[in-house]
Amino acid sequence: ANTMDRDELLFSYKGILYPATFCSPEVFRAMESLEARSDDIILAGYPKSGTNWVGQILNDLVGIFEKKTQNKESSMNDEELEEFPYLEIGDTGKFERMNKLPSRRVIFTHLLPENLPRSIFKSKAKILLLIRNPKDVATSFYHFSNAMSPLPSYETWDDFFVAFMTKKMPWGCYFEYISKWNKYADDENVMTITYEELKEHPVLGVKNIAAFFGFSPTEKELQIVVERSSFQSMKKNSQKTHGAFGNLLFRKGGVSDWKNHFSEDQNEKMDKAFEEHIGRTKLGRKLKY
Ligand code: A3P
């Protein structure tokens, strides 16, 4: 929520807008020094697709695995993480620190594939691509933008809708994001999951994610991960895990809240843009709602 001129809140880097409070050109340049590893766990998703949710699942899977294999104390202690998990958010020293972190690292990112450090693709690090239907993404983004001072605020939902559809969003345009990542959707080191399928079948979703990254949790461990990553538990723990942001991150956590926001006309416009830009892509077909 910030009524300051949008130009002062956001800056453009390689044609994409980012919030100046979180990101900077210097950090983008320093990012190339990240030494990705083949066992890194990369979570990629457009903002508001459920990154924190799936991030929690991944961190718990790592925690369980480490406890079993290395007798390490479980990292499931709900404290804020040692290094802020978003690749592109932080200071220029971040990547040197990350290079020293032990495996397995869980790294979140909202970046387009072409803007990731090259070492991620070279190392064949596995990438979990999280996608969510654009109507709920827009709804979630609208509320988040208005609640967060580093992001532009919008007087009305209609104003936000125009910005969302005209590519004026931090981290860029949703449709561009999906169509660029679509080129990687068949890569063997990329797995796609939708917010909607994970919500509907959490046990199966977590099981598939675990298998992709080479974890083999027992049924009981799966249950624990699913239970700890439920919207209710994450919301309850949010103060501990996310500090003051907690209140803003766990809003409704469901499917179809867009129906309380979209006008008929907006719905048609979104459907049309969807068909035009991503309707026939592999990811687009997964996103049909
Ligand atoms: P809503 O605003 O629709 O509630 P991100 O983490 O990428 O910023 O995404 C935030 C969205 O994911 C929010 O959507 C949030 O409520 C939802 N979310 C967070 N934790 C969740 C969980 N455990 N289960 C389902 N949705 C969750």
Side-chain angles (χ1 to χ4, degrees), residues 53 124 131 173:
W53 175 23
K124 292 263 190 302
I131 57 179
C173 166

Side-chain angles (χ1 to χ4, degrees), residues 151-194:
L151 299 179
S153 63
Y154 301 86
E155 228 160 90
T156 64
W157 157 253
D158 293 352
D159 292 344
F160 175 86
F161 183 80
V162 171
F164 189 86
M165 299 302 279
T166 53
K167 314 181 175 187
K168 302 247 171 64
M169 287 291 108
W171 282 281
C173 166
Y174 174 90
F175 295 110
E176 185 182 349
Y177 185 91
I178 299 295
S179 74
K180 291 229 160 129
W181 271 105
N182 188 64
K183 300 199 178 83
Y184 297 80
D186 287 324
D187 286 11
E188 63 176 350
N189 58 322
V190 176
M191 168 180 165
T192 309
I193 192 161
T194 68

Side-chain angles (χ1 to χ4, degrees), residues 48-53 132 140 195 229 249-253:
K48 313 320 290 174
S49 299
T51 323
N52 287 280
W53 175 23
R132 185 183 190 187
S140 182
Y195 180 102
S229 62
L249 276 174
F250 304 94
R251 193 184 62 93
K252 287 209 162 168

Side-chain angles (χ1 to χ4, degrees), residues 203 206-207 210 217-227:
V203 178
V206 173
K207 206 171 178 168
T218 63
E219 289 300 317
K220 186 158 170 260
E221 287 163 347
L222 264 183
Q223 282 302 337
I224 293 172
V225 175
V226 168
E227 161 48 34

Side-chain angles (χ1 to χ4, degrees), residues 35-137:
E35 292 160 10
R37 304 174 192 151
S38 58
D39 67 357
D40 279 339
I41 294 174
I42 313 288
L43 172 59
Y46 188 79
K48 313 320 290 174
S49 299
T51 323
N52 287 280
W53 175 23
V54 177
Q56 150 107 14
I57 291 172
L58 294 170
N59 278 309
D60 273 7
L61 287 171
V62 170
I64 288 172
F65 174 79
E66 285 181 345
K67 198 174 176 188
K68 272 207 283 204
T69 60
Q70 302 166 20
N71 224 358
K72 263 197 201 166
E73 201 185 313
S74 166
S75 60
M76 295 195 294
N77 52 13
D78 290 338
E79 274 161 20
E80 287 187 63
L81 297 162
E82 195 181 329
E83 185 67 51
F84 195 64
Y86 287 86
L87 177 68
E88 64 271 25
I89 301 180
D91 58 282
T92 49
K94 180 182 181 104
F95 308 102
E96 242 168 76
R97 292 195 302 276
M98 286 179 73
N99 284 344
K100 290 187 191 128
L101 289 176
S103 290
R104 296 181 72 175
R105 302 179 297 189
V106 180
I107 303 172
F108 307 176
T109 182
H110 297 318
L111 296 180
L112 290 172
E114 70 214 44
N115 293 330
L116 287 175
R118 290 298 92 194
S119 70
I120 288 186
F121 290 102
K122 273 199 205 127
S123 67
K124 292 263 190 302
K126 287 193 176 164
I127 302 174
L128 179 62
L129 177 62
L130 170 65
I131 57 179
R132 185 183 190 187
N133 92 69
K135 295 179 187 173
D136 281 335
V137 165

